[in-house]
Amino acid sequence: MAVIRFEPELIHVRQGNVVQYEGEPIVTGADPTYRSEMWFDVDEILKVINSSTESIEAYFSMVVRVEGRFVFGVLYDPPDPQNILSYYPTQVSHDAESTGVHEIPFNSFWTRETLGERASLREAIDQGVVGFNVYSGIHYPESEAIDVAIEIEGDWDNQTPSITYPIGGVMRNINEPIELLWVHNSPLLQTEYHIRYREKGTSDWMTVSGSSGSKTYRIPANSLNIGEYEWQVRTISEYGFESSWSSMGVFGVGDLTPDPVIIEPGDVVPVSDLKVVWESENQEEYQIELVSPNGVVWTSGWSNSDTEDSVDGILQNGIPYTIQLRVRAVDNLWSAWVSHSFTVDYTEPAKPEFTFVNDNEKSTITVYIDNPTPTGTDPDVISQNLYRRTGNTDWIKIADSLNANDYFVDYTPASDTVYEYYVNIRGDNETNADSDVFNALVKVKRAILSIANELNKSIRLERVRTRSGGNNYNATTRIFAGRRLPVTEFGESVEGTLDIECLVNQDEFDLLLNLIERNETMLYRDGRGRKKYVTISNISINDEFINRYSVELPLSEVDYNEAIV
């Protein structure tokens, strides 16, 4: 337990019928009186009371020199309108012959709000009490209060401060001041701090102190060695309560890595591929950014000593770019970012035209790419990648390494769905260009099952007699206490099923059974626009007349990525 003592901010004696309140003369009454008024910093007292970790005991005490009867009371702020420096009697001496020195200690008070009951110091302050007075009547006009104090006894814990930075081995620059930051965790204000730090692995601390509420300390630049350091802090609060040392923070001290020198690219790049080459010393890690007028378009970085990096087909013709590069040497900090700006100027491959053959019998779209013959500085086409999408979905690559004037058969379109296609053309001068976008659609007759990774292996089911299916949305319903109705939560997964029953002849049956027994993912499409990647884990077969079979196929929808890498 500890004791905190408060002395009044103001003690004075008022006499007569005129007193000063906030600088203005105010008439208080006709009776000449003496008042010893004692005003306290009640906000500070409340803060101390509320910050104790255990229940507190608060005592008011004073010594009164008085001739005869006196009244001890409490002062209010704001004062009562009927009595400007309002008080309410708290303790009364009735001994008219009692003169001399009186010692008055007690820990509870009568206030105007608690008449008949005694209030604690906290309750009295909450009701507006800001101080105390000694009041003597006209028959005993002389009284004076001395040695006035409020003492609060309690337990106050200046909790361990929390270090915030630097921690976790973060590297700091030896050539700059190193700032240590912490949080003081006591409701009582910090008045002092003690910092100690040392090189990790050593036993001697460097200790510094400060007499302030600052939560930061700066170690001067170039005052440490290159290496790893640990540090701690403790604080002292108002009224002298000292915390324990904080947890240990660890930080590294290093020098800046010398700036790298960018060798490539030059000022003008004549291709769409980017190659970055640089020189650096003792490199352990690097980071690269490629910036266009629209922002960062490519980043790269590895923890190795390589001094070159590249990416194909990223540079657009006529666009200015900036390369930003930084490196980090072993046991050092990152270098500054170095930049190099350049422009791109090359001859793109000529754009091709598309011709589509929409085969409703085979339910395929064949894309014919018509590349014009190069003229002048036009590059020859060395490869082409074909992309497709429907609606507002993302473009996916469905074919790569196509030759000039090549074609591609798309076995996957859904029935009566518009698809968009374009190709990215690669020239022999290391440049790329995109074609215009072209549209096509096709109808799917009946129903088709194909092997997903070998789409030309398929069967058309001519006589599908029934279809039924649905989705399971992975919902869980729970009942909670206090709720009249249940609550349903949905997961991310969806289980889709489609059950079909079809009639097949002997040849179709053999082909269907052969495809199913490959135990692979299959693509199902039909004339109603369904397109699902499915697996078939079992079938039911019933003999029909004239060498025909009724086959029931339970199709389970699965995730499948159509795009090629």
Side-chain angles (χ1 to χ4, degrees):
M1 300 289 284
V3 175
I4 297 178
R5 177 183 174 90
F6 291 91
E7 295 182 354
E9 292 187 311
L10 173 67
I11 300 180
H12 59 249
V13 177
R14 300 185 186 275
Q15 182 181 12
N17 62 354
V18 176
V19 298
Q20 291 289 118
Y21 184 74
E22 295 185 350
E24 297 293 330
I26 299 173
V27 176
T28 62
D31 291 342
T33 61
Y34 281 82
R35 296 187 182 190
S36 297
E37 297 174 356
M38 299 148 285
W39 295 72
F40 287 86
D41 185 347
V42 294
D43 290 336
E44 183 69 13
I45 294 174
L46 275 181
K47 182 181 74 174
V48 169
I49 291 173
N50 293 331
S51 63
S52 175
T53 57
E54 301 290 342
S55 60
I56 61 101
E57 292 288 343
Y59 299 89
F60 176 87
S61 64
M62 67 178 178
V63 175
V64 180
R65 288 197 189 95
V66 66
E67 291 186 8
R69 183 178 181 275
F70 67 91
V71 177
F72 173 73
V74 293
L75 292 169
Y76 288 88
D77 187 19
D80 189 301
Q82 302 301 317
N83 189 355
I84 299 302
L85 289 176
S86 170
Y87 73 92
Y88 193 88
T90 293
Q91 178 170 313
V92 179
S93 171
H94 295 286
D95 186 359
E97 303 301 322
S98 177
T99 61
V101 176
H102 297 261
E103 201 171 321
I104 307 176
F106 53 89
N107 63 0
S108 61
F109 315 92
W110 286 334
T111 68
R112 61 189 180 195
E113 283 81 5
T114 59
L115 185 60
E117 296 181 9
R118 302 186 77 84
S120 68
L121 178 62
R122 185 203 306 265
E123 293 168 337
I125 292 174
D126 287 342
Q127 294 165 15
V129 170
V130 294
F132 304 91
N133 69 4
V134 175
Y135 172 86
S136 61
I138 58 175
H139 301 293
Y140 309 99
E142 295 182 1
S143 65
E144 182 182 4
I146 60 174
D147 196 20
V148 180
I150 291 177
E151 291 186 346
I152 300 175
E153 180 178 314
D155 283 330
W156 287 270
D157 180 17
N158 182 6
Q159 297 180 12
T160 304
S162 304
I163 58 175
T164 58
Y165 191 83
I167 56 177
V170 62
M171 292 292 293
R172 306 304 302 144
N173 187 355
I174 193 172
N175 302 304
E176 297 176 353
I178 298 174
E179 192 169 45
L180 309 179
L181 305 174
W182 64 92
V183 176
H184 174 67
N185 290 321
S186 171
L188 301 177
L189 297 178
Q190 173 188 306
T191 58
E192 298 179 48
Y193 62 84
H194 303 291
I195 297 285
R196 66 182 184 185
Y197 55 91
R198 67 185 176 188
E199 200 163 356
K200 199 169 182 181
T202 64
S203 58
D204 295 333
W205 291 99
M206 171 67 74
T207 303
V208 292
S209 301
S211 299
S212 74
S214 174
K215 316 302 188 299
T216 178
Y217 174 74
R218 305 183 90 190
I219 300 175
N222 297 302
S223 63
L224 302 180
N225 300 319
I226 289 179
E228 199 169 28
Y229 280 78
E230 52 193 11
W231 71 283
Q232 292 178 294
V233 62
R234 69 181 177 191
T235 61
I236 298 176
S237 73
E238 298 171 286
Y239 312 108
F241 298 112
E242 184 177 87
S243 76
S244 57
W245 285 103
S246 70
S247 60
M248 196 81 71
V250 178
F251 63 93
V253 178
D255 206 348
L256 289 177
T257 299
D259 293 348
V261 178
I262 297 176
I263 307 301
E264 293 185 33
D267 294 335
V268 179
V269 176
V271 296
S272 59
D273 299 340
L274 174 64
K275 182 178 181 181
V276 184
V277 180
W278 65 93
E279 293 179 348
S280 61
E281 299 178 11
N282 200 24
Q283 174 187 304
E284 184 178 57
E285 192 173 1
Y286 72 88
Q287 291 179 347
I288 297 176
E289 291 182 347
L290 175 65
V291 184
S292 77
N294 294 323
V296 176
V297 296
W298 175 69
T299 61
S300 182
W302 299 94
S303 296
N304 57 40
S305 58
D306 292 346
T307 55
E308 66 175 65
D309 203 344
S310 62
V311 57
D312 291 341
I314 197 169
L315 302 178
Q316 298 182 30
N317 202 18
I319 301 296
Y321 291 93
T322 298
I323 280 289
Q324 298 185 154
L325 169 70
R326 69 174 183 172
V327 298
R328 188 178 63 80
V330 178
D331 297 329
N332 272 9
L333 296 167
W334 285 99
S335 72
W337 286 97
V338 296
S339 301
H340 172 66
S341 298
F342 61 94
T343 57
V344 180
D345 185 12
Y346 57 77
T347 302
E348 299 177 343
K351 292 184 178 182
E353 293 292 329
F354 281 13
T355 301
F356 295 99
V357 175
N358 307 323
D359 191 334
N360 292 326
E361 291 298 321
K362 296 181 179 180
S363 304
T364 61
I365 297 174
T366 303
V367 184
Y368 289 92
I369 306 169
D370 182 14
N371 297 100
T373 302
T375 60
T377 60
D378 290 348
D380 290 330
V381 175
I382 59 173
S383 68
Q384 301 182 101
N385 295 333
L386 179 63
Y387 295 82
R388 186 197 68 196
R389 74 173 181 181
T390 179
N392 294 321
T393 59
D394 293 334
W395 289 100
I396 62 171
K397 183 167 63 174
I398 60 173
D400 63 0
S401 302
L402 299 175
N403 297 320
N405 300 308
D406 211 338
Y407 71 95
F408 177 79
V409 180
D410 189 355
Y411 292 92
T412 64
S415 185
D416 285 323
T417 301
V418 176
Y419 287 89
E420 296 178 314
Y421 297 84
Y422 83 91
V423 290
N424 176 261
I425 312 108
R426 177 77 170 171
D428 64 357
N429 63 346
E430 299 181 3
T431 62
N432 290 269
D434 291 337
S435 73
D436 294 330
V437 175
F438 298 90
N439 301 332
L441 62 81
V442 71
K443 292 182 178 295
V444 175
K445 295 177 61 177
R446 311 292 192 277
I448 301 175
L449 271 175
S450 309
I451 299 297
N453 61 5
E454 199 174 353
L455 290 164
N456 60 344
K457 304 296 185 183
S458 64
I459 181 172
R460 186 183 302 276
L461 303 175
E462 297 285 353
R463 294 167 294 279
V464 177
R465 297 194 292 196
T466 63
R467 294 184 185 90
S468 65
N471 291 329
N472 179 355
Y473 293 102
N474 191 25
T476 302
T477 300
R478 293 184 174 90
I479 297 176
F480 294 94
R483 295 193 180 188
R484 186 172 66 87
L485 297 175
V487 174
T488 300
E489 298 175 345
F490 291 90
E492 294 182 2
S493 63
V494 177
E495 299 175 16
T497 60
L498 178 65
D499 298 327
I500 65 174
E501 186 271 328
C502 59
L503 188 66
V504 296
N505 60 32
Q506 185 66 53
D507 291 340
E508 293 169 333
F509 176 77
D510 292 340
L511 176 57
L512 176 60
L513 200 60
N514 178 268
L515 295 175
I516 292 173
E517 289 181 348
R518 292 180 60 163
N519 295 326
E520 297 182 30
T521 298
M522 306 182 77
L523 173 62
Y524 173 84
R525 298 180 293 152
D526 65 28
R528 295 201 175 189
R530 295 185 184 92
K531 176 183 174 180
K532 300 175 182 290
Y533 285 92
V534 299
T535 56
I536 302 173
S537 58
N538 62 83
I539 63 172
S540 297
I541 304 168
N542 295 307
D543 291 349
E544 296 280 347
F545 61 93
I546 318 177
N547 291 328
R548 294 187 178 186
Y549 301 90
S550 169
V551 182
E552 296 179 5
L553 300 174
L555 309 180
S556 299
E557 192 169 4
V558 296
D559 184 68
Y560 187 85
N561 186 7
E562 287 186 314
I564 65 173
V565 179

